[in-house]
Amino acid sequence: MTSTEDLRAKVADALRRSRERSTTLTESVDDDDLVRQHSKLMSPLVWDLAHIGNQEELWLVRDVGGREPVREDIDHLYDAFQHARADRPALPLLSPAETLGYVREVREKVFDVLERVPLEGSRLVDQGFAFGMIVQHEQQHDETMLATHQLRVGAPVLHAPDPGPATRPARREVLVPAGEFTMGTSTEPWALDNERPAFRRHVDAFFIDTVPVSNGDYLAFIDAGGYDDERWWSAEGWTYRNQANLVAPRFWKRDGDGWVRTRFGLVERIPVDEPVVHVSFHEAAAYAKWAGRRLPTEPEWEKAARFDPAGGRSRRYPWGDDDPGPEHANLGQRHLRPAPVGSYPAGESALGVRQLIGDIWEWCDSGFEAYPGFAAFPYREYSEVFFGGDYKMLRGGSFGTDKAAVRGTFRNWDHPIRRQIFAGFRCARDVLPDEAR
Ligand code: AVJ
Ligand code: FE
């Protein structure tokens, strides 16, 4: 049991870390860059920042704190459901200076609320849930802002050291045995509604790769004419490939015989050992089919990540129950790129699968559906309104995901055509009849 004081300190630390990151992402560009729309897919950075403050005000100042509103008049501007991303630049948004003042004022009140409010007695505040939800919300928008930085044209403004070299695991793929495992969670204190409750899920035996698909692997698909061969694509994927005229991952460009890519303003040769990133679900699925394999389903991914055959139990993370450390996973924008395939042996799952958490979000061949016993909490618009939509699941987080915003149970989703997110994939396959044990 953590004491209330420990919990308050943990919340305060998480709030400070997320704000430090939001500050890095917004201070690194000038006011013109903050209000500009760098892509139709994204909001202006200044919108994300004010929206972060507004959600924090709604939940922690008004709801948890029971305090007077700070700026009720601007709620509608920063309600994601009232204005599409493409329409946000035309709104009478707060200026960069006003936005900074606003988020600071909200944050001061939140620290005051955090000192006074009991962290028990209602589901919203139990174990600091509402604070954890708001920390995750800020970190999620920080990753969105990082994607905006990647879309932004101009010289590099973000800097970070490169990750170290990798050692490939001995095996290319591992068998995940047939049987039930515990999927989702009823105990993780800051887990969001769509991860709940825990339930038993049967999964047939399957093989999964120990590492994600690399740029080198993916280049072989490009060189084999994979983008021009309808056989590898679903009908929907082929239509999209033709409409968007896809020939390579987003941000890649032909350079003589080879390819280069732009990464946060740097143009560089393609690092063949790095997990491929900025591919849509359709490209991932086409690659897998070409390779004679397939994408894992969401339950398969979670079983490979959490199931410990020795104890028969599901762990919080692939490596066990400890919170993520720098030895386990490439998270939190510590590096501005995925680490080479085979990195983080200390982050390996019980079954021997690496890099499930961090580096790249992994496309799974499942739609976004409620778990049995799901109940929207604390608001329908986080998850419930997206169930059954045109989405595919993404699991495990990327180098741009903070440790507060990802777990073995964490569920992300996006449209299958999206490529600006930090998404790649790994392959799986069925067990062949002569491989049955
Ligand atoms: C869970 C990442 C799909 O960014 O659209 C942010 C998270 N929800 N504000 C998103 C979210 C409300 C959401 N994803
Ligand atoms: Fe949001």
Side-chain angles (χ1 to χ4, degrees), residues 206-351:
F206 69 104
F207 283 94
I208 191 162
D209 282 0
T210 54
V211 298
V213 170
S214 71
N215 286 322
D217 299 332
Y218 199 81
L219 273 163
F221 168 67
I222 298 176
D223 290 344
Y227 274 90
D228 298 318
D229 195 334
E230 191 174 347
R231 281 180 299 165
W232 314 131
W233 300 75
S234 67
E236 196 190 327
W238 187 244
T239 302
Y240 167 58
R241 177 256 171 260
N242 288 320
Q243 274 167 0
N245 204 6
L246 301 184
V247 293
R250 184 143 195 189
F251 306 111
W252 287 32
K253 240 177 57 188
R254 271 241 171 255
D255 177 52
D257 284 349
W259 295 89
V260 293
R261 70 174 182 187
T262 305
R263 179 175 61 84
F264 300 107
L266 276 175
V267 179
E268 61 189 18
R269 297 203 64 77
I270 305 296
V272 290
D273 280 344
E274 212 172 279
V276 67
V277 61
H278 297 301
V279 288
S280 62
F281 170 84
H282 294 306
E283 289 161 287
Y287 171 94
K289 191 156 186 201
W290 167 79
R293 306 168 70 78
R294 61 176 175 80
L295 298 179
T297 64
E298 189 184 24
E300 285 174 340
W301 188 97
E302 188 167 324
K303 186 170 179 181
R306 299 183 62 209
F307 182 64
D308 177 7
R313 200 178 66 85
S314 287
R315 303 155 146 196
R316 296 177 67 212
Y317 298 96
W319 53 85
D321 293 334
D322 291 348
D323 286 343
E327 72 280 22
H328 294 128
N330 179 9
L331 291 168
Q333 206 180 306
R334 273 201 323 277
H335 308 296
L336 287 169
R337 62 198 301 169
V341 296
S343 297
Y344 303 102
E348 197 170 88
S349 75
L351 292 163

Side-chain angles (χ1 to χ4, degrees), residues 25 38-39 42 45 143-154 157-158 250-252 261-266 268 277-278 336 399 419-422:
L25 288 160
H38 296 277
S39 156
M42 311 308 277
L45 292 166
E143 182 164 356
T144 299
M145 288 197 277
L146 188 65
T148 303
H149 271 264
Q150 169 64 1
L151 287 158
R152 172 184 171 271
V153 175
V157 296
L158 298 174
R250 184 143 195 189
F251 306 111
W252 287 32
R261 70 174 182 187
T262 305
R263 179 175 61 84
F264 300 107
L266 276 175
E268 61 189 18
V277 61
H278 297 301
L336 287 169
F399 64 89
R419 313 209 298 161
Q420 88 283 2
I421 53 176
F422 304 109

